[in-house]
């Protein structure tokens, strides 16, 4: 679904650019070369005029700090590298290098349930109990951010810097694992099951980023960005535990987990703010 959305935005940008390319003044000849002074004026505009843009980006999201920690036996952390897709825009203020930036991002990071269960096994006092991972869902984060933007145009390149803040909606993963004590001559096999339920939470997030754009013809641009995003998410959920006798015990789970990501992405955009 995300791939289809990304394709749609790229197609929309190309369609807008194509329609503008067809808007040729009456009487214009493609054989006519622009006058030297006009070419010089266009080069000066490209070199000195800040350009706004709207773009779609896709890339790689690497968890850092405590979000990537893969030790301990408490719920949270254990995030693995994942994907990011985003829609970004920058609008210059009064044709200056400063403007307003907005970004809507969708992030997905798997949960390292195998490392989590292995660490529980290492801390288990009963050497006969064997733990197994049954599976987990992913961390799913959606960010809606806005802030300030500063750009430095150098001919066809633009060096961009953003500082943004806003809302992060995070869905924390479901984590399932089990354990058993093998059957012996004097005792039957005992089975245990744990299921930590998923939950959703909201938090304030900050994002600091830097990027570079290259202006193509017909207002299109290519870009690369690196972002650091951080939020401290509070969660409130519960864990279901089934003992060997089939008794169900429900225990609350509350706490805080950091969501820290370094995102590296590339994108295709449509520029405005210059002729």
């Amino acid at each position: 679904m995300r791939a289809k959305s990304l394709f749609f935005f790229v197609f929309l940008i190309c369609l807008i650019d194509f329609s503008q390319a067809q808007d040729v003044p009456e009487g214009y000849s493609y054989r006519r070369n622009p006058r030297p002074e006009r070419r010089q004026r266009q080069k000066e505009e490209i070199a000195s005029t800040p350009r706004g843009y709207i773009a779609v980006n896709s890339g790689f999201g690497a968890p850092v700090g405590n979000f990537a920690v893969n030790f301990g036996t408490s719920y949270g952390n254990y995030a693995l590298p994942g994907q990011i897709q985003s829609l970004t825009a920058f609008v210059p203020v009064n044709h200056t290098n400063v403007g307003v930036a907005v970004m809507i991002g969708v992030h997905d990071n798997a949960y390292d349930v195998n490392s989590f269960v292995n660490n529980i096994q290492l801390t288990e006092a009963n050497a006969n109990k064997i733990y197994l991972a049954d599976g987990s869902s992913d961390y799913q984060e959606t960010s809606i951010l806005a802030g300030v933007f500063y750009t430095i145009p150098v001919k066809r390149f633009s060096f961009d810097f953003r500082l943004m803040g806003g809302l992060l909606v995070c869905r924390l993963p479901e984590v399932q694992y089990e354990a058993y004590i093998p059957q012996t001559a004097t005792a039957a096999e005992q089975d245990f099951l744990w299921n930590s339920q998923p939950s959703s939470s909201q938090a304030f997030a900050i994002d600091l980023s830097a990027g570079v754009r290259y202006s193509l013809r017909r207002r299109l641009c290519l870009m690369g960005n690196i972002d650091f995003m951080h939020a401290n998410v509070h969660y409130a959920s519960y864990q279901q535990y089934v003992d060997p006798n089939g008794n169900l015990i429900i225990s609350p789970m509350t706490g805080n987990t950091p969501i820290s990501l370094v995102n590296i992405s590339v994108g295709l955009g449509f520029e405005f703010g210059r002729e």
Side-chain angles (χ1 to χ4, degrees), residues 110-222:
Y111 186 87
D112 190 0
V113 64
N114 292 316
S115 294
F116 176 67
V117 173
N118 288 340
N119 288 332
I120 294 177
Q121 179 75 70
L122 292 174
T123 59
E124 174 57 51
N126 187 344
N128 294 325
K129 187 181 289 186
I130 300 173
Y131 282 81
L132 299 171
D134 288 341
S136 66
S137 57
D138 296 353
Y139 285 99
Q140 297 176 333
E141 309 97 18
T142 300
S143 56
I144 305 173
L145 308 173
V148 295
F149 188 102
Y150 186 79
T151 183
I152 304 173
V154 181
K155 295 184 178 179
R156 288 190 176 273
F157 288 94
S158 292
F159 299 90
D160 304 326
F161 305 91
R162 297 178 301 194
L163 176 61
M164 297 180 293
L167 177 67
L168 179 73
V169 180
C170 180
R171 181 169 176 81
L172 283 82
E174 178 182 10
V175 179
Q176 294 179 312
Y177 61 99
E178 62 181 284
Y180 68 95
I181 299 176
Q183 185 175 8
T184 65
T186 57
E189 181 173 292
Q190 300 182 52
D191 298 305
F192 310 81
L193 178 64
W194 292 265
N195 188 341
S196 298
Q197 295 297 305
S199 62
S200 295
S201 185
Q202 299 81 39
F204 177 78
I206 59 171
D207 184 279
L208 179 64
S209 72
V212 60
R213 276 180 288 150
Y214 180 76
S215 299
L216 303 171
R217 294 183 179 182
R218 298 180 179 177
R219 297 179 182 263
L220 291 179
C221 65
L222 297 175

Side-chain angles (χ1 to χ4, degrees), residues 50-71:
R51 279 121 32 210
Y53 70 86
I54 181 170
V56 289
N57 299 271
S58 181
F60 172 82
V64 295
N66 289 337
F67 191 38
V69 164
N70 61 354
F71 56 82

Side-chain angles (χ1 to χ4, degrees), residues 61-69 77 79-80 109 227-230 258-263:
V64 295
N66 289 337
F67 191 38
V69 164
N77 308 327
L80 294 172
N109 297 92
D227 292 70
F228 172 73
M229 187 181 71
H230 175 78
I259 306 295
S260 300
L261 289 165
V262 172
N263 301 312

